[in-house]
Amino acid sequence: MSVTTVRLQAEVEHQLEAIASRLHRSKGWVINQALSEYIDKQNLQQERWKQTLAAMESAAQGKVVDASEVHNWLSSWGTEKEQDAPGSGK
């Protein structure tokens, strides 16, 4: 484990102390939890952005499904004649 120094605004420090006290944990534990969640969120957003760019490239190449095919597929959900997901055909 490494040590990092951070300068906190006074209000943030007070809130951090209150949270740590309420949870019966150290300020370091609370900070570590918060940073871990923030890093996970950033990684998820980065992955979603990559997927968005890939989807946009796919659409630009004409790999799309007609809206009526999607609506028909969705309408079939839960019926005896449930359809497979439509493909782009490319």
Side-chain angles (χ1 to χ4, degrees):
M1 188 173 288
S2 65
V3 175
T4 301
T5 303
V6 178
R7 294 181 192 266
L8 300 175
Q9 297 172 355
E11 182 58 30
V12 172
E13 173 73 14
H14 295 307
Q15 291 180 26
L16 176 60
E17 288 174 351
I19 291 169
S21 176
R22 186 174 66 242
L23 296 175
H24 304 289
R25 297 287 191 158
S26 68
K27 291 189 298 183
W29 184 89
V30 174
I31 291 168
N32 200 32
Q33 288 296 114
L35 284 174
S36 291
E37 289 179 23
Y38 178 81
I39 290 167
D40 289 346
K41 182 178 176 183
Q42 290 299 312
N43 288 336
L44 180 60
Q45 287 179 348
Q46 183 177 16
E47 182 58 32
R48 286 180 178 161
W49 180 245
K50 287 179 186 177
Q51 291 174 356
T52 298
L53 293 176
M56 290 171 63
E57 178 63 27
S58 181
Q61 294 174 4
K63 297 177 183 175
V64 296
V65 177
D66 186 73
S68 63
E69 291 180 48
V70 173
H71 288 290
N72 290 338
W73 170 58
L74 293 174
S75 296
S76 77
W77 285 10
T79 69
E80 291 181 15
K81 295 182 180 181
E82 190 167 318
Q83 302 172 7
D84 292 332
S88 67
K90 292 193 178 196

